[in-house]
């Protein structure tokens, strides 16, 4: 079984996908984190904005996901990839065709012969257009900014909510207008608005859909 959850930044994709995976015993793949790993690598190498060097970097890219931990060059960078500097630049990296091709290939290989739930921007449209169930999560941009703000404050980050809000609007624009695999709802995806719903409510709503599809 393959379940695809797509949607904009802060709509709750990762949180919901993890809970569904736990409840149903599925393998969970956070595809957004994969793009964050590439972004962190570009930042560490000082090549952000240099298309040729970023493309060349992909040849020797060493990323891995183990037990819900995200590794770059054998180092656990699960915390680093969630920092604001990565969030501010990940959409630009994800818009690069060669990066997307590399990530999609890895996502498909990872999911071979497994029952998987994946979340991202183009899972239901590009990575797995024949997924058994496609969900498209949406939420008001202000609400998404509040969620990200609370999350970062809990981690001890010094952030401003307005800056997060502006970054979300910027990412929405880049993600939905990019040439390569833009963020959009698949024709056969079910839209779920999470703005005024609790995590539990959204999870149960999607579980009902999964059960009706089995």
């Amino acid at each position: 079984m393959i379940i695809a959850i797509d949607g904009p930044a802060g709509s709750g994709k990762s949180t919901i996908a993890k809970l569904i995976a736990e409840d149903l015993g599925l393998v969970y793949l956070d595809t957004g984190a994969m793009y964050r790993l590439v972004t962190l690598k570009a930042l560490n190498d000082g090549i952000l904005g240099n298309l040729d060097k970023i493309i060349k970097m992909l040849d020797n890219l060493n990323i891995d996901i183990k037990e819900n931990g995200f590794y770059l060059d054998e180092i656990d960078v699960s915390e680093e990839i969630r920092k604001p500097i990565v969030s501010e630049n990940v959409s630009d990296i994800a818009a690069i065709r060669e990066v997307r091709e590399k990530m999609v290939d890895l996502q498909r290989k990872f999911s071979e012969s497994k029952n998987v739930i994946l979340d991202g921007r183009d899972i239901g449209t590009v990575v797995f257009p024949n997924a058994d169930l496609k969900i498209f999560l949406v939420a008001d941009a202000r609400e998404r900014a509040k969620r990200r703000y609370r999350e970062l404050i809990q981690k001890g980050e010094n952030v401003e909510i307005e800056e997060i809000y502006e970054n979300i609007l910027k990412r929405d624009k880049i993600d939905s207008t990019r040439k390569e695999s833009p963020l959009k709802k698949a024709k056969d995806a079910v839209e779920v608005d999470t703005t005024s719903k609790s995590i539990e409510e959204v999870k149960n709503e999607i579980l009902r859909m999964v059960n009706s599809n089995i």
Side-chain angles (χ1 to χ4, degrees):
M1 174 184 284
I2 292 178
I3 300 173
I5 300 185
D6 291 308
S11 55
K13 302 184 301 296
S14 297
T15 300
I16 296 301
K18 286 176 188 174
L19 292 173
I20 301 269
E22 289 173 8
D23 275 28
L24 300 179
L26 305 174
V27 174
Y28 165 60
L29 180 56
D30 181 348
T31 66
M34 295 173 70
Y35 289 99
R36 285 176 175 270
L37 287 166
V38 179
T39 304
L40 181 61
K41 177 65 174 174
L43 283 164
N44 289 348
D45 289 357
I47 60 173
L48 205 64
N50 190 320
L51 182 60
D52 290 339
K53 288 186 177 180
I54 290 171
I55 293 172
K56 189 174 182 180
M57 173 194 76
L58 297 173
D59 292 335
N60 299 305
L61 185 66
N62 181 10
I63 65 174
D64 198 6
I65 302 173
K66 296 182 286 188
E67 297 177 358
N68 293 325
F70 300 96
Y71 292 78
L72 175 63
D73 297 326
E74 310 298 331
I75 298 170
D76 187 341
V77 293
S78 302
E79 292 295 322
E80 285 88 336
I81 63 172
R82 303 298 175 185
K83 290 185 178 295
I85 186 64
V86 175
S87 297
E88 290 164 12
N89 291 284
V90 66
S91 288
D92 289 326
I93 291 292
I96 299 171
R97 177 172 58 83
E98 289 83 357
V99 172
R100 299 206 70 81
E101 288 174 349
K102 177 83 172 182
M103 295 301 101
V104 168
D105 182 56
L106 289 175
Q107 290 156 21
R108 287 173 176 160
K109 285 179 178 176
F110 182 87
S111 303
E112 283 178 358
S113 304
K114 297 184 182 80
N115 291 316
V116 185
I117 183 165
L118 307 91
D119 72 279
R121 304 289 195 282
D122 63 348
I123 308 304
T125 54
V126 175
V127 185
F128 287 109
N130 296 318
D132 298 282
L133 178 63
K134 301 177 188 178
I135 306 293
F136 194 80
L137 294 187
V138 297
D140 174 76
R142 279 284 176 192
E143 176 61 26
R144 288 185 279 139
K146 289 177 186 175
R147 292 173 184 172
R148 189 57 53 87
Y149 175 76
R150 288 193 293 265
E151 179 185 321
L152 292 171
I153 289 295
Q154 286 177 353
K155 291 181 178 179
E157 297 280 349
N158 183 20
V159 292
E160 297 290 337
I161 192 166
E162 279 304 314
E163 188 176 336
I164 294 172
Y165 175 65
E166 291 300 325
N167 178 243
I168 279 179
L169 293 180
K170 176 190 170 188
R171 290 182 64 188
D172 284 353
K173 184 175 181 181
I174 294 173
D175 290 344
S176 60
T177 61
R178 69 187 178 214
K179 183 179 178 181
E180 302 299 329
S181 308
L183 166 67
K184 64 179 180 180
K185 177 185 170 185
K187 290 180 180 178
D188 53 346
V190 180
E191 184 172 308
V192 177
D193 190 334
T194 70
T195 303
S196 57
K197 294 177 181 175
S198 68
I199 292 171
E200 193 70 14
E201 287 174 326
V202 177
K203 184 193 79 168
N204 290 334
E205 186 174 340
I206 294 175
L207 281 174
R208 285 194 291 271
M209 294 181 205
V210 174
N211 290 329
S212 67
N213 274 267
I214 294 175

